Amino acid sequence: VIPSRPTGDTLANVAVNANPTTNKAIPPARIFLSINNTYFNFWQNQGFNIIYNFLLAQTYLNSRDPKLFPLLDWLEKQSLGTGAFPEAIHPITEQGCGGAGHYAWPSAEYSQLIRNMMVSDSDNILHIFPFIHPKWLANKGAYLELTNCPTLFGPVTICVQ
């Protein structure tokens, strides 16, 4: 069931303006979603907008909300064989619908999200692995490696086993 068309600011504005300390942007954003914790776009290319869902994921990351992990899993499943993403996902067929078929912007958002989960450099503090996906280290012998990642403090190389 698709909820009725919401009114007010778009999720993009809510997510971008989120304050990770006070978390004030999250409650208004929840008005817009609730289809398996993903954002459904009612205005253009009706479907699950990939960019808005990456913005929502960044908001969850900033507030250290574990809803990030199922949303990230869902977003990763939407990636095409080429590594690109469709612009929107149809709610019934769960395939790309409308807009660019191989949309480059979400690939950049995905890279930024993964980077921010591994290293964060805000408020003059370098955070190493501030909020990583539990499945990344679930298997025995699993490791995470980040090589020459640019930060405000210079390049960072990290390996965790």
Side-chain angles (χ1 to χ4, degrees), residues 60-75:
Y60 286 153
L61 173 60
N62 290 342
S63 62
R64 306 299 189 256
D65 188 331
K67 288 183 182 172
L68 166 64
F69 305 127
L71 179 57
L72 177 59
D73 292 342
W74 180 83
L75 283 163

Side-chain angles (χ1 to χ4, degrees), residues 89-152:
I89 303 297
H90 192 277
I92 296 171
T93 66
E94 297 182 2
Q95 306 239 337
C97 66
H102 286 81
Y103 200 30
W105 181 6
S107 297
E109 291 291 340
Y110 177 74
S111 298
Q112 186 68 29
L113 178 66
I114 298 302
R115 182 247 187 228
N116 291 343
M117 291 173 73
M118 296 181 78
V119 65
S120 173
D121 51 359
S122 61
D123 301 324
N124 292 321
I125 299 172
L126 181 63
H127 300 274
I128 306 298
F129 298 116
F131 200 60
I132 61 172
H133 199 311
K135 76 176 185 181
W136 292 353
L137 294 173
N139 297 328
K140 185 177 182 179
Y143 69 94
L144 297 175
E145 184 173 356
L146 188 64
T147 306
N148 294 324
C149 179
T151 71
L152 296 174

Side-chain angles (χ1 to χ4, degrees), residues 2 12-13 28 39 51 56 73 80 83 85 97 120 135:
I2 297 173
N13 291 335
Y39 173 74
I51 288 296
L56 178 60
D73 292 342
L80 304 171
F85 292 84
C97 66
S120 173
K135 76 176 185 181

Side-chain angles (χ1 to χ4, degrees), residues 27-44:
R30 287 192 179 131
I31 294 168
F32 292 97
L33 20 134
S34 268
I35 303 176
N36 296 328
N37 289 318
T38 57
Y39 173 74
F40 186 86
N41 188 354
F42 293 88
W43 293 281
Q44 68 223 10

Side-chain angles (χ1 to χ4, degrees), residues 38-59:
T38 57
Y39 173 74
F40 186 86
N41 188 354
F42 293 88
W43 293 281
Q44 68 223 10
N45 299 328
Q46 290 190 350
F48 297 99
N49 183 287
I50 295 295
I51 288 296
Y52 287 178
N53 277 288
F54 272 115
L55 293 174
L56 178 60
Q58 285 286 0
T59 301

